[in-house]
PDB file of all heavy atoms in Angstrom:
ATOM      1  N   TYR B  79      10.242  88.772 -10.975  1.00 96.00           N
ATOM      2  CA  TYR B  79      10.049  90.194 -10.694  1.00 96.00           C
ATOM      3  C   TYR B  79      11.243  90.701  -9.886  1.00 96.00           C
ATOM      4  O   TYR B  79      11.715  90.032  -8.967  1.00 96.00           O
ATOM      5  CB  TYR B  79       8.749  90.424  -9.926  1.00 96.00           C
ATOM      6  CG  TYR B  79       7.527  90.095 -10.749  1.00 96.00           C
ATOM      7  CD1 TYR B  79       6.915  88.850 -10.658  1.00 96.00           C
ATOM      8  CD2 TYR B  79       7.014  91.022 -11.649  1.00 96.00           C
ATOM      9  CE1 TYR B  79       5.813  88.540 -11.435  1.00 96.00           C
ATOM     10  CE2 TYR B  79       5.914  90.717 -12.436  1.00 96.00           C
ATOM     11  CZ  TYR B  79       5.318  89.485 -12.321  1.00 96.00           C
ATOM     12  OH  TYR B  79       4.238  89.172 -13.097  1.00 96.00           O
ATOM     13  N   ASN B  80      11.695  91.886 -10.253  1.00 97.00           N
ATOM     14  CA  ASN B  80      12.873  92.436  -9.591  1.00 97.00           C
ATOM     15  C   ASN B  80      12.492  93.388  -8.475  1.00 97.00           C
ATOM     16  O   ASN B  80      11.569  94.185  -8.614  1.00 97.00           O
ATOM     17  CB  ASN B  80      13.742  93.174 -10.612  1.00 97.00           C
ATOM     18  CG  ASN B  80      14.371  92.218 -11.588  1.00 97.00           C
ATOM     19  OD1 ASN B  80      14.769  91.119 -11.208  1.00 97.00           O
ATOM     20  ND2 ASN B  80      14.442  92.600 -12.840  1.00 97.00           N
ATOM     21  N   THR B  81      13.226  93.300  -7.378  1.00 97.00           N
ATOM     22  CA  THR B  81      13.011  94.219  -6.270  1.00 97.00           C
ATOM     23  C   THR B  81      14.320  94.337  -5.487  1.00 97.00           C
ATOM     24  O   THR B  81      15.376  93.981  -6.008  1.00 97.00           O
ATOM     25  CB  THR B  81      11.813  93.753  -5.398  1.00 97.00           C
ATOM     26  OG1 THR B  81      11.536  94.738  -4.419  1.00 97.00           O
ATOM     27  CG2 THR B  81      12.071  92.420  -4.735  1.00 97.00           C
ATOM     28  N   VAL B  94      12.764  87.682  -7.947  1.00 97.00           N
ATOM     29  CA  VAL B  94      11.971  86.675  -7.244  1.00 97.00           C
ATOM     30  C   VAL B  94      11.175  85.878  -8.276  1.00 97.00           C
ATOM     31  O   VAL B  94      10.522  86.438  -9.151  1.00 97.00           O
ATOM     32  CB  VAL B  94      11.024  87.327  -6.219  1.00 97.00           C
ATOM     33  CG1 VAL B  94      10.334  86.264  -5.392  1.00 97.00           C
ATOM     34  CG2 VAL B  94      11.787  88.274  -5.327  1.00 97.00           C
ATOM     35  N   ILE B  96       8.203  83.758  -9.445  1.00 95.00           N
ATOM     36  CA  ILE B  96       6.788  83.659  -9.064  1.00 95.00           C
ATOM     37  C   ILE B  96       6.109  82.604  -9.923  1.00 95.00           C
ATOM     38  O   ILE B  96       6.244  82.590 -11.147  1.00 95.00           O
ATOM     39  CB  ILE B  96       6.076  85.014  -9.278  1.00 95.00           C
ATOM     40  CG1 ILE B  96       6.811  86.139  -8.555  1.00 95.00           C
ATOM     41  CG2 ILE B  96       4.618  84.940  -8.859  1.00 95.00           C
ATOM     42  CD1 ILE B  96       6.746  86.085  -7.064  1.00 95.00           C
ATOM     43  N   ASN B 482       3.590  95.152   5.820  1.00 97.00           N
ATOM     44  CA  ASN B 482       3.957  94.216   4.760  1.00 97.00           C
ATOM     45  C   ASN B 482       5.436  93.907   4.896  1.00 97.00           C
ATOM     46  O   ASN B 482       6.208  94.732   5.363  1.00 97.00           O
ATOM     47  CB  ASN B 482       3.764  94.860   3.386  1.00 97.00           C
ATOM     48  CG  ASN B 482       2.299  95.134   3.087  1.00 97.00           C
ATOM     49  OD1 ASN B 482       1.416  94.645   3.785  1.00 97.00           O
ATOM     50  ND2 ASN B 482       2.066  95.919   2.056  1.00 97.00           N
ATOM     51  N   THR B 483       5.837  92.735   4.444  1.00 97.00           N
ATOM     52  CA  THR B 483       7.267  92.500   4.325  1.00 97.00           C
ATOM     53  C   THR B 483       7.757  93.253   3.095  1.00 97.00           C
ATOM     54  O   THR B 483       6.958  93.752   2.302  1.00 97.00           O
ATOM     55  CB  THR B 483       7.582  91.008   4.135  1.00 97.00           C
ATOM     56  OG1 THR B 483       6.948  90.575   2.933  1.00 97.00           O
ATOM     57  CG2 THR B 483       7.066  90.192   5.293  1.00 97.00           C
ATOM     58  N   TYR B 484       9.073  93.293   2.917  1.00 97.00           N
ATOM     59  CA  TYR B 484       9.609  94.065   1.796  1.00 97.00           C
ATOM     60  C   TYR B 484       9.226  93.451   0.465  1.00 97.00           C
ATOM     61  O   TYR B 484       9.247  94.123  -0.557  1.00 97.00           O
ATOM     62  CB  TYR B 484      11.132  94.208   1.909  1.00 97.00           C
ATOM     63  CG  TYR B 484      11.919  92.920   1.891  1.00 97.00           C
ATOM     64  CD1 TYR B 484      12.531  92.469   0.729  1.00 97.00           C
ATOM     65  CD2 TYR B 484      12.059  92.150   3.034  1.00 97.00           C
ATOM     66  CE1 TYR B 484      13.255  91.288   0.710  1.00 97.00           C
ATOM     67  CE2 TYR B 484      12.772  90.977   3.032  1.00 97.00           C
ATOM     68  CZ  TYR B 484      13.368  90.543   1.869  1.00 97.00           C
ATOM     69  OH  TYR B 484      14.084  89.368   1.847  1.00 97.00           O
ATOM     70  N   LEU B 485       8.850  92.166   0.468  1.00 97.00           N
ATOM     71  CA  LEU B 485       8.454  91.537  -0.789  1.00 97.00           C
ATOM     72  C   LEU B 485       7.013  91.884  -1.171  1.00 97.00           C
ATOM     73  O   LEU B 485       6.531  91.468  -2.215  1.00 97.00           O
ATOM     74  CB  LEU B 485       8.633  90.020  -0.700  1.00 97.00           C
ATOM     75  CG  LEU B 485      10.082  89.558  -0.519  1.00 97.00           C
ATOM     76  CD1 LEU B 485      10.153  88.060  -0.278  1.00 97.00           C
ATOM     77  CD2 LEU B 485      10.922  89.934  -1.725  1.00 97.00           C
ATOM     78  N   GLU B 486       6.332  92.623  -0.284  1.00 97.00           N
ATOM     79  CA  GLU B 486       4.956  93.039  -0.577  1.00 97.00           C
ATOM     80  C   GLU B 486       4.844  94.559  -0.610  1.00 97.00           C
ATOM     81  O   GLU B 486       3.733  95.079  -0.566  1.00 97.00           O
ATOM     82  CB  GLU B 486       4.010  92.513   0.511  1.00 97.00           C
ATOM     83  CG  GLU B 486       4.067  91.020   0.730  1.00 97.00           C
ATOM     84  CD  GLU B 486       3.572  90.614   2.117  1.00 97.00           C
ATOM     85  OE1 GLU B 486       4.166  91.027   3.125  1.00 97.00           O
ATOM     86  OE2 GLU B 486       2.580  89.892   2.191  1.00 97.00           O
ATOM     87  N   SER B 487       5.970  95.268  -0.655  1.00 96.00           N
ATOM     88  CA  SER B 487       5.944  96.715  -0.467  1.00 96.00           C
ATOM     89  C   SER B 487       6.570  97.476  -1.624  1.00 96.00           C
ATOM     90  O   SER B 487       7.441  96.971  -2.324  1.00 96.00           O
ATOM     91  CB  SER B 487       6.719  97.098   0.806  1.00 96.00           C
ATOM     92  OG  SER B 487       6.205  96.446   1.917  1.00 96.00           O
ATOM     93  N   TRP B 488       6.131  98.734  -1.764  1.00 97.00           N
ATOM     94  CA  TRP B 488       6.763  99.661  -2.685  1.00 97.00           C
ATOM     95  C   TRP B 488       7.853 100.428  -1.954  1.00 97.00           C
ATOM     96  O   TRP B 488       7.728 100.724  -0.767  1.00 97.00           O
ATOM     97  CB  TRP B 488       5.745 100.663  -3.233  1.00 97.00           C
ATOM     98  CG  TRP B 488       4.862 100.071  -4.281  1.00 97.00           C
ATOM     99  CD1 TRP B 488       3.616  99.555  -4.085  1.00 97.00           C
ATOM    100  CD2 TRP B 488       5.160  99.919  -5.665  1.00 97.00           C
ATOM    101  NE1 TRP B 488       3.117  99.079  -5.276  1.00 97.00           N
ATOM    102  CE2 TRP B 488       4.044  99.305  -6.271  1.00 97.00           C
ATOM    103  CE3 TRP B 488       6.265 100.246  -6.460  1.00 97.00           C
ATOM    104  CZ2 TRP B 488       3.991  99.003  -7.626  1.00 97.00           C
ATOM    105  CZ3 TRP B 488       6.209  99.958  -7.810  1.00 97.00           C
ATOM    106  CH2 TRP B 488       5.092  99.335  -8.379  1.00 97.00           C
ATOM    107  N   GLY B 489       8.887 100.765  -2.679  1.00 95.00           N
ATOM    108  CA  GLY B 489       9.947 101.572  -2.089  1.00 95.00           C
ATOM    109  C   GLY B 489      11.028 101.793  -3.114  1.00 95.00           C
ATOM    110  O   GLY B 489      10.903 101.383  -4.276  1.00 95.00           O
ATOM    111  N   ILE B 504      14.437 100.123  -7.562  1.00 95.00           N
ATOM    112  CA  ILE B 504      13.024 100.184  -7.175  1.00 95.00           C
ATOM    113  C   ILE B 504      12.658  98.904  -6.460  1.00 95.00           C
ATOM    114  O   ILE B 504      13.034  97.810  -6.872  1.00 95.00           O
ATOM    115  CB  ILE B 504      12.087 100.321  -8.390  1.00 95.00           C
ATOM    116  CG1 ILE B 504      12.409 101.579  -9.164  1.00 95.00           C
ATOM    117  CG2 ILE B 504      10.634 100.354  -7.942  1.00 95.00           C
ATOM    118  CD1 ILE B 504      11.416 101.853 -10.271  1.00 95.00           C
ATOM    119  N   SER B 505      11.914  99.074  -5.397  1.00 95.00           N
ATOM    120  CA  SER B 505      11.388  97.946  -4.655  1.00 95.00           C
ATOM    121  C   SER B 505       9.904  97.859  -4.978  1.00 95.00           C
ATOM    122  O   SER B 505       9.190  98.838  -4.827  1.00 95.00           O
ATOM    123  CB  SER B 505      11.622  98.242  -3.175  1.00 95.00           C
ATOM    124  OG  SER B 505      11.262  97.182  -2.390  1.00 95.00           O
ATOM    125  N   GLN B 506       9.455  96.731  -5.467  1.00 96.00           N
ATOM    126  CA  GLN B 506       8.035  96.598  -5.814  1.00 96.00           C
ATOM    127  C   GLN B 506       7.479  95.322  -5.205  1.00 96.00           C
ATOM    128  O   GLN B 506       8.219  94.378  -4.951  1.00 96.00           O
ATOM    129  CB  GLN B 506       7.859  96.565  -7.327  1.00 96.00           C
ATOM    130  CG  GLN B 506       8.579  95.393  -7.993  1.00 96.00           C
ATOM    131  CD  GLN B 506       8.357  95.341  -9.482  1.00 96.00           C
ATOM    132  OE1 GLN B 506       7.253  95.586  -9.946  1.00 96.00           O
ATOM    133  NE2 GLN B 506       9.397  95.032 -10.244  1.00 96.00           N
ATOM    134  N   PRO B 507       6.164  95.300  -4.942  1.00 97.00           N
ATOM    135  CA  PRO B 507       5.591  94.067  -4.399  1.00 97.00           C
ATOM    136  C   PRO B 507       5.683  92.950  -5.445  1.00 97.00           C
ATOM    137  O   PRO B 507       5.304  93.164  -6.599  1.00 97.00           O
ATOM    138  CB  PRO B 507       4.139  94.416  -4.102  1.00 97.00           C
ATOM    139  CG  PRO B 507       3.923  95.804  -4.552  1.00 97.00           C
ATOM    140  CD  PRO B 507       5.170  96.353  -5.133  1.00 97.00           C
ATOM    141  N   VAL B 508       6.205  91.808  -5.065  1.00 96.00           N
ATOM    142  CA  VAL B 508       6.275  90.690  -6.004  1.00 96.00           C
ATOM    143  C   VAL B 508       5.114  89.725  -5.806  1.00 96.00           C
ATOM    144  O   VAL B 508       4.828  88.912  -6.673  1.00 96.00           O
ATOM    145  CB  VAL B 508       7.623  89.937  -5.883  1.00 96.00           C
ATOM    146  CG1 VAL B 508       8.769  90.849  -6.267  1.00 96.00           C
ATOM    147  CG2 VAL B 508       7.825  89.382  -4.499  1.00 96.00           C
ATOM    148  N   VAL B 509       4.453  89.809  -4.646  1.00 95.00           N
ATOM    149  CA  VAL B 509       3.215  89.059  -4.409  1.00 95.00           C
ATOM    150  C   VAL B 509       2.237  90.006  -3.721  1.00 95.00           C
ATOM    151  O   VAL B 509       2.637  91.013  -3.143  1.00 95.00           O
ATOM    152  CB  VAL B 509       3.428  87.816  -3.508  1.00 95.00           C
ATOM    153  CG1 VAL B 509       4.274  86.775  -4.206  1.00 95.00           C
ATOM    154  CG2 VAL B 509       4.047  88.199  -2.181  1.00 95.00           C
ATOM    155  N   ALA B 510       0.952  89.678  -3.811  1.00 94.00           N
ATOM    156  CA  ALA B 510      -0.047  90.477  -3.105  1.00 94.00           C
ATOM    157  C   ALA B 510       0.134  90.246  -1.605  1.00 94.00           C
ATOM    158  O   ALA B 510       0.543  89.161  -1.197  1.00 94.00           O
ATOM    159  CB  ALA B 510      -1.444  90.046  -3.538  1.00 94.00           C
ATOM    160  N   PRO B 511      -0.173  91.259  -0.777  1.00 96.00           N
ATOM    161  CA  PRO B 511      -0.028  91.055   0.675  1.00 96.00           C
ATOM    162  C   PRO B 511      -0.798  89.819   1.131  1.00 96.00           C
ATOM    163  O   PRO B 511      -1.929  89.587   0.708  1.00 96.00           O
ATOM    164  CB  PRO B 511      -0.613  92.330   1.280  1.00 96.00           C
ATOM    165  CG  PRO B 511      -0.471  93.353   0.211  1.00 96.00           C
ATOM    166  CD  PRO B 511      -0.611  92.617  -1.098  1.00 96.00           C
ATOM    167  N   SER B 517       1.890  98.551   4.069  1.00 97.00           N
ATOM    168  CA  SER B 517       3.313  98.879   4.083  1.00 97.00           C
ATOM    169  C   SER B 517       3.516 100.071   5.014  1.00 97.00           C
ATOM    170  O   SER B 517       2.597 100.856   5.262  1.00 97.00           O
ATOM    171  CB  SER B 517       3.792  99.211   2.677  1.00 97.00           C
ATOM    172  OG  SER B 517       3.375 100.498   2.315  1.00 97.00           O
ATOM    173  N   GLU B 543       2.930 103.703  -3.545  1.00 96.00           N
ATOM    174  CA  GLU B 543       3.258 103.507  -4.954  1.00 96.00           C
ATOM    175  C   GLU B 543       3.196 104.842  -5.696  1.00 96.00           C
ATOM    176  O   GLU B 543       4.100 105.187  -6.461  1.00 96.00           O
ATOM    177  CB  GLU B 543       2.275 102.514  -5.582  1.00 96.00           C
ATOM    178  CG  GLU B 543       2.544 102.283  -7.057  1.00 96.00           C
ATOM    179  CD  GLU B 543       1.495 101.410  -7.726  1.00 96.00           C
ATOM    180  OE1 GLU B 543       0.543 100.982  -7.048  1.00 96.00           O
ATOM    181  OE2 GLU B 543       1.646 101.153  -8.935  1.00 96.00           O
ATOM    182  N   LEU B 574      11.000  99.475 -13.695  1.00 94.00           N
ATOM    183  CA  LEU B 574      10.339  98.442 -12.907  1.00 94.00           C
ATOM    184  C   LEU B 574      10.791  97.056 -13.355  1.00 94.00           C
ATOM    185  O   LEU B 574      11.045  96.171 -12.545  1.00 94.00           O
ATOM    186  CB  LEU B 574       8.825  98.523 -13.089  1.00 94.00           C
ATOM    187  CG  LEU B 574       8.040  99.404 -12.140  1.00 94.00           C
ATOM    188  CD1 LEU B 574       6.556  99.234 -12.406  1.00 94.00           C
ATOM    189  CD2 LEU B 574       8.349  99.051 -10.696  1.00 94.00           C
TER     190      LEU B 574
END
Side-chain angles (χ1 to χ4, degrees):
Chain B
Y79 294 96
N80 291 322
T81 186
V94 187
I96 306 291
N482 293 347
T483 61
Y484 61 99
L485 296 173
E486 305 157 298
S487 303
W488 284 96
I504 300 187
S505 185
Q506 61 178 320
V508 296
V509 293
S517 76
E543 179 186 0
L574 270 186

